[in-house]
Amino acid sequence: MTSTVPALGTRTAEGSALQAVLFDMDGTLVDTEGFWWDVEVEVFAALGHTLDDSWRHVVVGGPMTRSAGFLIEATGAAITLAELAVLLNDGFEERIGQALPLMPGAARLLAELHEHAIPTALVSASHRRIIDRVLTVLGPHHFDLSVAGDEVSRTKPFPDPYLMAAARLGADPSRCAVVEDTATGVAAAEAAGCRVVAVPSVAPITPAAGRTVVPSLEAVDLAFLRGLMTEMR
């Protein structure tokens, strides 16, 4: 990443300042959590099954192996996990090809971080093929790297994706701010030792130690993220 604006205050003499910002994708930067549920409903309808709307909170934010596996077990659908994954990814990719709305404040925040050369990563439970499609809309220049759910042996809620992103950026996880929208993603980030900004999308998230909950990304800017690190000192 290059910028003509210096990353003022990125570090302090105590080494306690913001080193990187790690973003979840679905429901955090792009308004797609509803897309996944709509595709799941359509796929299972074609298989002869109706999904209970209460299951939406069970499957949101997790890896496809977990969400798809749950839906197969809950419905008794005669389909394998691998077959279902293909159908879900195909359906989702078709939807984002038609429209891919950004969450309020996302474009402005990404532009600000890029302007100040703050290292960033996109860390998602979605598969690589989906991430690459979404990056064309978000702008790949806004991210130093991305980590997909099918590129780690254990994805969210395990800390592995965030630990991988921090390591590849050369950052201390405790000096990384993670922006997430689901309890699953928050659990992964906290297990990695990161500071968390939760922007709930489908289900509420409660504040906790090391976790700040905001109503939308419009409440988040670089000064806000740097302030999270200052609180740790």
Side-chain angles (χ1 to χ4, degrees), residues 56-177:
R56 181 174 182 175
H57 297 295
V58 179
V59 301
V60 68
M64 185 173 292
T65 51
R66 188 194 74 182
S67 58
F70 169 82
L71 293 175
I72 291 173
E73 182 176 352
T75 60
I79 189 171
T80 67
L81 186 60
E83 292 169 337
L84 181 57
V86 171
L87 293 177
L88 293 178
N89 276 322
D90 285 349
F92 184 78
E93 196 165 356
E94 180 179 353
R95 280 182 177 267
I96 63 176
Q98 299 168 4
L100 185 56
L102 270 60
M103 298 298 288
R108 187 263 316 152
L109 178 56
L110 290 175
E112 182 182 14
L113 296 177
H114 179 67
E115 181 183 10
H116 288 274
I118 303 299
T120 57
L122 189 62
V123 183
S124 175
S126 291
H127 289 186
R128 170 54 58 186
R129 59 179 283 197
I130 299 300
I131 287 180
D132 286 346
R133 283 292 301 274
V134 173
L135 277 171
T136 63
V137 175
L138 290 175
H141 62 285
H142 285 130
F143 303 95
D144 293 272
L145 60 91
S146 58
V147 177
D150 55 343
E151 295 173 342
V152 290
S153 57
R154 301 189 309 173
T155 189
K156 305 173 187 180
F158 294 100
D160 305 36
Y162 283 115
L163 291 174
M164 176 184 289
R168 289 172 60 187
L169 289 173
D172 180 344
S174 70
R175 303 302 170 188
C176 294

